[in-house]
Amino acid sequence: MNDVIFDRVALIGLGLIAGSMSLAMRRAGVAREITGYARSQATRDTAREIGLVDRVCDSAAAAAEGADLVVLAVPVGAMGAVAAEIAPVLKPGAVVTDVGSVKRSVLEAVLPQIPEGVQFVGSHPMAGTEHSGPRSGFAELFDNRWCLIVPPEQADEGEVRRLEAFWAALGATTERMDPDHHDIVCAVVSHVPHLIAYTMVGVADDLRRVTDQEVIKFSAAGFRDFTRIAASDPTMWRDVFLTNKDAALEILGRFTEELFALQRAIRTGDGDTLHDYFTRTRAIRRGII
Ligand code: NAD
């Protein structure tokens, strides 16, 4: 058990990430009371039923009032509106963080709403599954995963450290990152791979119309492994691409160039190019644990 790091924690949004945070906070004993709010009545009912947090509230403001840490765990496109809703009730000395998968746009949407005397520091736990909703969380989600910490320029060093200690207690390893660097890194390692997985499922389904044959039914292990992430929440991923447009387009452009080069090698029967490419990338992939 750890010491209490934030007396009262409010979770706005009660899905995979917030739910896992609540369970991990209880496991670590780092909060005395956890309140929560989600927009949908059905989610709030489920959260109450399974006791996901100590107190489910009927508004974001009611959950955030008096909290020492407020976590914005809603889709990235909703962060600004939620921050505006809770701003009037934030207590002086409180810390607000978000867990969004994109950082520059969240910083720009949330920071202007934060009142004086309250600190905003971004977080991005690099952990997830293809599941969503209040029943999908589990206490181990953040164990041995990175949590990227994105402090605004004027952030208070003591509060940034407190947030880092909080994530460490939840099992994560933290590293600080600048928002623009964060967004390009995540475009490569997470956002564009999701887009490609979604596309691959679309292509396989499309083929059914051409061949009049079920294709996905016969999907092999490779296809299943590769496309698992295409079962992820559509609202979350719509918002990621709308808010990380530049970085996603930059990485997609590079990806298409590589794909065209391989397409040309296949067309011209250039086995050396294919073999060299696969040898190089296999070595890199094998180095990733
Ligand atoms: P989720 O779909 O499981 O949960 C989202 C929750 O937000 C739901 O409870 C929903 O009711 C609530 N919600 C939606 N709009 C709202 C609004 N306007 N006001 C209040 N509540 C609202 O999603 P999740 O996977 O927990 O993702 C939450 C955040 O975490 C997103 O910003 C996402 O980018 C980020 N994130 C997700 C993953 C992942 O792999 N799932 C990983 C890291 C970060």
Side-chain angles (χ1 to χ4, degrees), residues 210-269:
V210 181
T211 59
D212 206 21
Q213 298 275 330
E214 177 63 276
V215 187
I216 291 177
K217 181 174 156 190
F218 302 111
S219 58
F223 184 86
R224 282 170 188 266
D225 288 351
F226 176 67
T227 58
R228 179 184 56 78
I229 53 178
S232 303
D233 185 66
T235 306
M236 170 187 156
W237 286 101
R238 175 201 64 192
D239 283 9
V240 165
F241 288 105
L242 291 180
T243 57
N244 199 22
K245 182 176 164 181
D246 293 347
L249 290 177
E250 166 65 24
I251 299 306
L252 260 179
R254 288 170 186 241
F255 174 73
T256 334
E257 279 175 23
E258 302 270 305
L259 211 56
F260 278 145
L262 294 180
Q263 188 177 351
R264 185 177 165 72
I266 294 168
R267 192 195 328 277
T268 57

Side-chain angles (χ1 to χ4, degrees), residues 129-144:
T129 71
E130 67 278 26
H131 302 296
S132 55
R135 291 187 192 274
S136 60
F138 54 100
E140 300 77 22
L141 180 66
F142 310 111
D143 286 352
N144 305 314

Side-chain angles (χ1 to χ4, degrees), residues 24-159:
M25 277 190 266
R26 282 180 178 160
R27 183 186 67 172
V30 288
R32 243 184 274 279
E33 192 198 18
I34 305 166
T35 58
Y37 167 76
R39 189 179 47 174
S40 111
Q41 178 72 48
T43 302
R44 297 201 296 275
D45 289 346
T46 304
R48 279 195 186 101
E49 189 189 317
I50 63 175
L52 191 62
V53 292
D54 301 325
R55 191 157 49 87
V56 177
C57 302
D58 289 322
S59 72
E65 192 162 15
D68 301 286
L69 173 67
V70 181
V71 182
L72 309 179
V74 297
V76 172
M79 297 284 184
V82 171
E85 207 180 320
I86 61 168
V89 302
L90 290 172
K91 84 171 186 192
V95 175
V96 177
T97 191
D98 74 292
V99 293
S101 308
V102 179
K103 281 288 162 279
R104 169 59 66 192
S105 77
V106 169
L107 206 63
E108 284 172 3
V110 172
L111 208 52
Q113 320 285 346
I114 301 295
E116 208 161 316
V118 174
Q119 286 287 322
F120 174 74
V121 181
S123 312
H124 181 194
M126 303 284 287
T129 71
E130 67 278 26
H131 302 296
S132 55
R135 291 187 192 274
S136 60
F138 54 100
E140 300 77 22
L141 180 66
F142 310 111
D143 286 352
N144 305 314
R145 298 306 195 95
W146 288 108
C147 181
L148 303 176
I149 303 292
V150 183
E153 273 168 27
Q154 65 276 36
D156 177 275
E157 179 60 24
E159 297 301 356

Side-chain angles (χ1 to χ4, degrees), residues 2 4 10 13 23 34 41 57 61 83 95 134 151 163 180 192-193 203 216 233 238 276 286:
N2 299 266
V4 168
L23 299 172
I34 305 166
Q41 178 72 48
C57 302
V95 175
L163 190 66
D180 298 320
V192 171
V203 169
I216 291 177
D233 185 66
R238 175 201 64 192
D276 289 352
R286 282 185 166 173

